[in-house]
Amino acid sequence: MKSNYLLLSALLLSMGSYAQQITVNFEEYEPKSTLVVPEHITTKAKFPFIDVHNHQWNLHEEKENLDKLITDMNALNMKLMVNLSGRGWTSDEAKSTQTLTKQIDQIKQYYPSRFAVFTNIDFANINTKGWTEKAVKTLEEDVKLRGAKGLKIYKNLGFSVKDGDKLVRVDDPRLDPIWKKAGELGIPVLIHTADPERFWQPVDRFNERWLELKLHPDRKRNAGEKSNDFTWEQLIEQQHNVFKKNPKTNFIAAHMGWYPNNLPKLDSLMDEMPNMYVEIGAVIAELGRQPHTAKRFFEKRQDRILFGKDSWVPSEYATYFRVLETNDEYFPYHKKYHAFWRMYGLGLSDGILKKVYYKNALKLIPGLDKSQFPE
């Protein structure tokens, strides 16, 4: 009897110990793949490239900032960086103008062929008389007098820009002259509208962005839940209204217009709007999980896709190069909360890579030094 008791106790202790060992939550679970397949870790792009979606906040400060940036860019084979944050992040017009001017002057002095700067619009006083005319005038001066190469619209338009207590629509008619002026100036508008659609969905076990929303709850959108926020569908429709109303202006939809997970839909939209271009910043994980569909999309839309990254973390570019250039199988993304799945390389042809890496950007953005890129 006693021996049976001791045996049962030992068994229970053993089971408890085993259960303790296998208690792992989703955030911690990082299995090491046992798959044996060819790997091509690509830390430098096959061809020189232009990153059309980057944010730098100190290009107007010490030259050492530029020197460090150039060293990192050279290691990646990035020949030209587009800084979309030309006016910084302030509603002080004099200060933002000074930031833009100093950035461009600093670049011209030290590395004139390696950077392009986009300007921005401050929507803070959109409800004041004469705001539209002043915004148009500033845009024209930024391009013609100061040297800006394009216009970047942040996602605050549609999210937080208000006229009184009412959100301003992306397609607000007061903005029409700005879009028109950009077309007349021959500059592209890179516009970020909305966020991934799942940010508007319940944070439950069916939501692919569950972990991201758990770690970053401020990214959750609550349209329809005692909120005046626009829905995802409304924001995307407003952006497309702008594209359609301004066929002579070229628009670059940031993050593939938040349709990287629905390329057939994006393809149909690009048919409908010939002035719509896309860049791949922060959505490479979506492309890498559908290599066959994504490759077909790149083959068809090769003249209207640009390379972009968004956040400046040099080590993360390797993921982009690997997805675009190789035929590797089943490899991880660099941020689990963006993508818990594995990815596959698209193995794009040299001709398509050249277009995505630099030719399309050289076509869209005026005044770039083409001599540092092959034919």
Side-chain angles (χ1 to χ4, degrees), residues 250-267:
N250 290 321
F251 294 90
I252 304 170
H255 314 297
M256 298 190 85
W258 296 122
Y259 277 109
N261 58 332
N262 189 349
L263 294 178
K265 176 63 174 179
L266 180 57
D267 183 57

Side-chain angles (χ1 to χ4, degrees), residues 29-48:
Y29 185 57
E30 288 286 354
K32 292 186 180 299
S33 174
T34 59
L35 187 68
V36 180
V37 289
E39 292 185 311
H40 303 87
I41 309 301
T42 310
T43 58
K44 187 173 185 177
K46 185 175 185 179
F47 299 106

Side-chain angles (χ1 to χ4, degrees), residues 169-214:
R169 294 172 58 95
V170 179
D171 58 357
D172 189 294
R174 288 170 289 187
L175 307 180
D176 288 347
I178 295 173
W179 316 130
K180 181 180 178 183
K181 177 55 68 174
E184 292 172 355
L185 292 168
I187 60 167
V189 178
L190 195 152
I191 179 169
H192 178 168
T193 302
D195 267 334
E197 183 180 7
R198 288 297 177 183
F199 286 6
W200 279 258
Q201 303 301 319
V203 185
D204 57 22
R205 62 194 176 100
F206 301 110
N207 193 324
E208 278 189 325
R209 295 279 182 161
W210 172 83
L211 182 56
E212 182 172 3
L213 292 170
K214 179 182 178 183

Side-chain angles (χ1 to χ4, degrees), residues 52 86 187 232 342 355:
V52 304
I187 60 167
W232 185 85
R342 299 285 171 142
K355 288 181 178 181

Side-chain angles (χ1 to χ4, degrees), residues 26-31 198 204-212 285-286 289 330-343:
F26 181 70
E27 295 94 313
E28 297 169 330
Y29 185 57
E30 288 286 354
R198 288 297 177 183
D204 57 22
R205 62 194 176 100
F206 301 110
N207 193 324
E208 278 189 325
R209 295 279 182 161
W210 172 83
L211 182 56
E212 182 172 3
E286 296 287 357
R289 67 169 169 169
Y330 200 74
F331 55 91
Y333 185 60
H334 49 258
K335 286 180 182 174
K336 182 181 176 181
Y337 70 78
H338 271 177
F340 53 84
W341 52 81
R342 299 285 171 142
M343 299 183 300

Side-chain angles (χ1 to χ4, degrees), residues 47-331:
F47 299 106
F49 72 98
I50 298 171
D51 184 349
V52 304
H53 191 151
N54 213 288
H55 297 283
Q56 298 292 328
W57 308 99
N58 59 2
L59 294 187
H60 60 293
E61 296 173 359
E62 294 79 10
K63 177 178 178 292
E64 287 72 19
N65 296 325
L66 283 174
D67 294 339
K68 174 63 168 62
L69 206 50
I70 288 293
T71 298
D72 291 338
M73 289 165 60
N74 288 343
L76 297 170
N77 203 15
M78 184 193 300
K79 288 296 182 183
L80 198 148
M81 174 189 286
V82 177
N83 182 27
L84 299 178
S85 309
R87 284 185 163 268
W89 193 256
T90 176
S91 289
D92 184 326
E93 184 181 358
K95 186 175 180 180
S96 67
T97 299
Q98 183 184 49
T99 297
L100 177 68
T101 303
K102 287 183 70 176
Q103 272 195 61
I104 295 174
D105 289 348
Q106 182 105 313
I107 288 165
K108 284 181 179 177
Q109 182 178 357
Y110 298 113
Y111 297 104
S113 65
R114 303 298 299 274
F115 297 95
V117 180
F118 278 29
T119 187
N120 314 109
I121 299 291
D122 179 15
F123 300 102
N125 300 307
I126 191 172
N127 59 346
T128 60
K129 185 178 180 181
W131 179 89
T132 297
E133 293 76 13
K134 184 178 180 182
V136 169
K137 183 174 182 289
T138 299
L139 174 60
E140 186 165 20
E141 290 175 347
D142 285 351
V143 174
K144 289 185 174 181
L145 302 181
R146 301 181 183 103
K149 302 296 185 185
L151 173 63
K152 166 61 166 44
I153 302 298
Y154 295 109
K155 65 180 179 181
N156 64 330
L157 179 63
F159 270 178
S160 59
V161 175
K162 290 188 175 183
D163 183 348
D165 60 353
K166 188 177 181 181
L167 281 173
V168 174
R169 294 172 58 95
V170 179
D171 58 357
D172 189 294
R174 288 170 289 187
L175 307 180
D176 288 347
I178 295 173
W179 316 130
K180 181 180 178 183
K181 177 55 68 174
E184 292 172 355
L185 292 168
I187 60 167
V189 178
L190 195 152
I191 179 169
H192 178 168
T193 302
D195 267 334
E197 183 180 7
R198 288 297 177 183
F199 286 6
W200 279 258
Q201 303 301 319
V203 185
D204 57 22
R205 62 194 176 100
F206 301 110
N207 193 324
E208 278 189 325
R209 295 279 182 161
W210 172 83
L211 182 56
E212 182 172 3
L213 292 170
K214 179 182 178 183
L215 297 175
H216 302 277
D218 56 305
R219 297 180 185 179
K220 176 72 173 72
R221 312 305 302 184
N222 297 302
E225 297 177 15
K226 298 180 180 179
S227 166
N228 293 318
D229 288 355
F230 295 119
T231 65
W232 185 85
E233 291 80 7
Q234 288 171 330
L235 286 169
I236 297 301
E237 181 182 18
Q238 290 168 26
Q239 184 195 74
H240 295 169
N241 288 342
V242 172
F243 296 175
K244 293 172 186 175
K245 287 168 65 178
N246 297 275
K248 295 183 179 180
T249 301
N250 290 321
F251 294 90
I252 304 170
H255 314 297
M256 298 190 85
W258 296 122
Y259 277 109
N261 58 332
N262 189 349
L263 294 178
K265 176 63 174 179
L266 180 57
D267 183 57
S268 68
L269 291 170
M270 294 178 82
D271 271 337
E272 190 177 352
M273 297 173 283
N275 61 331
M276 178 186 184
Y277 294 76
V278 296
E279 59 86 23
I280 62 173
V283 296
I284 196 69
E286 296 287 357
L287 301 174
R289 67 169 169 169
Q290 49 175 331
H292 304 301
T293 299
K295 186 171 185 176
R296 288 193 297 269
F297 180 82
F298 272 75
E299 289 171 346
K300 181 176 181 180
R301 297 300 181 185
Q302 60 187 271
D303 296 315
R304 291 164 65 185
I305 305 171
L306 293 85
F307 184 97
K309 168 68 171 63
D310 198 356
S311 61
W312 176 240
V313 184
S315 63
E316 294 178 354
Y317 282 80
T319 304
Y320 287 72
F321 304 152
R322 195 174 182 187
V323 170
L324 298 175
E325 297 180 16
T326 79
N327 288 301
D328 283 2
E329 300 176 283
Y330 200 74
F331 55 91

